[in-house]
Amino acid sequence: MTEFATSADGTRIAYDRQGSGPPVILIDGAMQFRAFDPATTQMAKELAGHGFSVVHYDRRGRGESPAESPITLEQTLDDLRALISEATEGADDAVALFGGSSGAAIALAAAASGMPVSKLVLWETPLGDELGTDAAEFLAGLRERIASRDGDATIEYYMKDMPPEWLAGAKASPGWPIMTSMGPSLEPDAEALAWTQSAARPALWAGVAQPTLVLVGEQTLDLMLTSADSLVANLPNAVRSAVPASDHAWEPRSMALTIAGFLVG
């Protein structure tokens, strides 16, 4: 059954909670929400079966969490604070965070902000070069397209550096209109990725001392491997592992088993 957390500005954030045990919050990446992300929904169910209380939510501006543009990273972090309070029943206990793709950059920003985070699991975070400017330039371009209210142009721009067959497949799918409606909610994804280039990473992430599992697929893009290397090199307590996956998509059961093993360990 859908529950709701109330963020700092009064926005209601919809979520599902499954299982009992230590709390884990799942942070979706670009163009994902509960009703549009069956792999994460299934993974949440599998992870709950390993003895965790799993919160899977619709990010601001998606699914059952409607919100007006602009949608910012600061608001997204406020949403997470509200969800942590719900997950811990107001006790301010620590929660584990799983972030997928650009959602992993949001998870990192949450931990760096001082939220009560026990462990991090980061799946294929698409980082640019340390101290690069490409993510900030991308963010500026994305904001221009969001302001134009052209949903097709916004998603085409967001996916411009991905393999071209991914965009072609998305445009040919029945889910394309849903994707184009989510344009404003992509701003925090781009903003979080720009943040990862805003300072030297050893300093930027010095306070993220939580045990961190950096995951990549057994078949993946070179960008993801380079990004994983940077995360492990610059986070104080990170390890890297590979899971059965290709084309930036995982198998839910094996992903849940990998996450559970890390969180228990």
Side-chain angles (χ1 to χ4, degrees), residues 79-228:
D79 300 343
L80 270 172
R81 291 185 183 94
L83 287 161
I84 289 172
S85 181
E86 292 287 332
T88 62
E89 299 181 345
D92 290 328
D93 293 333
V95 304
L97 298 179
F98 167 85
S101 191
S102 51
I106 293 171
L108 264 176
S113 75
M115 287 188 209
V117 175
S118 57
K119 292 187 178 183
L120 289 167
V121 181
L122 309 177
W123 159 255
E124 292 202 341
T125 323
L127 301 182
D129 292 338
E130 184 176 6
L131 296 176
T133 61
D134 54 299
E137 292 162 4
F138 179 83
L139 173 60
L142 181 68
R143 284 172 169 161
E144 289 178 6
R145 279 135 183 104
I146 291 172
S148 76
R149 300 183 181 274
D150 186 335
D152 285 44
T154 299
I155 303 306
E156 288 169 356
Y157 179 83
Y158 194 89
M159 297 184 70
K160 68 184 181 69
D161 297 321
M162 300 180 190
E165 60 270 20
W166 292 11
L167 176 58
K171 295 182 79 169
S173 77
W176 180 249
I178 298 173
M179 295 172 70
T180 59
S181 72
M182 283 189 273
S185 75
L186 297 175
E187 185 169 333
D189 300 77
E191 193 176 350
L193 291 169
W195 166 77
T196 69
Q197 294 182 313
S198 64
R201 287 175 179 162
L204 189 66
W205 299 337
V208 186
Q210 294 89 342
T212 301
L213 178 62
V214 178
L215 292 176
V216 293
E218 291 175 348
Q219 299 178 51
T220 191
L221 304 173
D222 289 343
L223 165 67
M224 303 305 179
L225 299 175
T226 303
S227 172

